[in-house]
């Protein structure tokens, strides 16, 4: 069985639902509480690749105050600035994200993570 990881915030209902869904489907993922243990630039870059998204903004919580406070809502913001913002402000990372060896999915809705299992 493929090793699973979940970027998890226990205070988030979608994150809790996704973790429970994984367990109901026979998986015991490694739980990464990314707010307590922030991710590195390399880890975030790898997740972006596994998500197969065109821009890091697609894995960010754009409605958080920090998003606009950091100027991330400007069109000329560099990709590197988005990644650095997630390193420095992990609260900006969308949650939950389920990660396998080769793929990742954001658990919104929670059932979407089943596509990569």
């Amino acid at each position: 069985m493929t090793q699973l990881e979940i970027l998890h915030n226990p205070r988030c209902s979608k994150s809790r639902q996704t973790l429970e869904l994984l367990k109901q489907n026979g998986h015991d993922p490694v739980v990464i509480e990314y707010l307590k243990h922030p991710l590195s630039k390399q880890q975030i870059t790898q997740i972006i690749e596994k998500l197969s998204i065109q821009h890091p903004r697609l894995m960010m919580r754009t409605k958080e105050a920090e998003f606009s406070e950091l100027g991330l809502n400007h069109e000329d913001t560099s990709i590197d600035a988005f990644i650095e913002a997630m390193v420095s402000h992990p609260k900006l990372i969308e949650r939950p994200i389920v990660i396998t060896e080769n793929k990742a999915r954001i658990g919104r809705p929670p059932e979407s993570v089943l596509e990569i299992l």
Side-chain angles (χ1 to χ4, degrees):
M1 183 182 296
T2 303
Q3 179 63 49
L4 291 178
E5 297 177 338
I6 181 172
L7 297 186
H8 181 61
N9 178 351
R11 296 183 64 195
C12 171
S13 64
K14 294 291 183 204
S15 195
R16 291 191 309 269
Q17 289 170 9
T18 302
L19 180 57
E20 184 59 31
L21 181 64
L22 291 172
K23 290 180 178 182
Q24 288 172 357
N25 281 273
H27 299 280
D28 187 22
V30 174
V31 176
I32 301 168
E33 290 192 37
Y34 66 97
L35 295 175
K36 291 182 182 178
H37 308 283
L39 303 175
S40 69
K41 183 176 181 177
Q42 180 182 5
Q43 289 171 307
I44 291 172
T45 302
Q46 288 173 345
I47 293 168
I48 291 167
E49 290 172 10
K50 289 179 181 186
L51 284 167
S52 297
I53 56 177
Q54 298 300 315
H55 199 283
R57 179 186 182 134
L58 297 172
M59 69 174 273
M60 296 181 77
R61 300 178 59 79
T62 59
K63 294 181 181 172
E64 292 291 339
E66 289 92 338
F67 189 84
S68 26
E69 289 169 5
L70 294 168
L72 299 173
N73 52 349
H74 298 298
E75 288 184 28
D76 61 345
T77 304
S78 71
I79 287 177
D80 210 41
F82 284 99
I83 295 170
E84 289 295 335
M86 287 187 274
V87 171
S88 302
H89 304 273
K91 180 179 179 183
L92 290 173
I93 299 172
E94 187 60 87
R95 74 223 176 210
I97 300 177
V98 173
I99 306 159
T100 70
E101 185 178 340
N102 300 311
K103 296 181 181 182
R105 287 288 183 279
I106 297 172
R108 291 188 177 267
E111 296 77 20
S112 66
V113 303
L114 298 176
E115 299 170 0
I116 63 170
L117 303 180

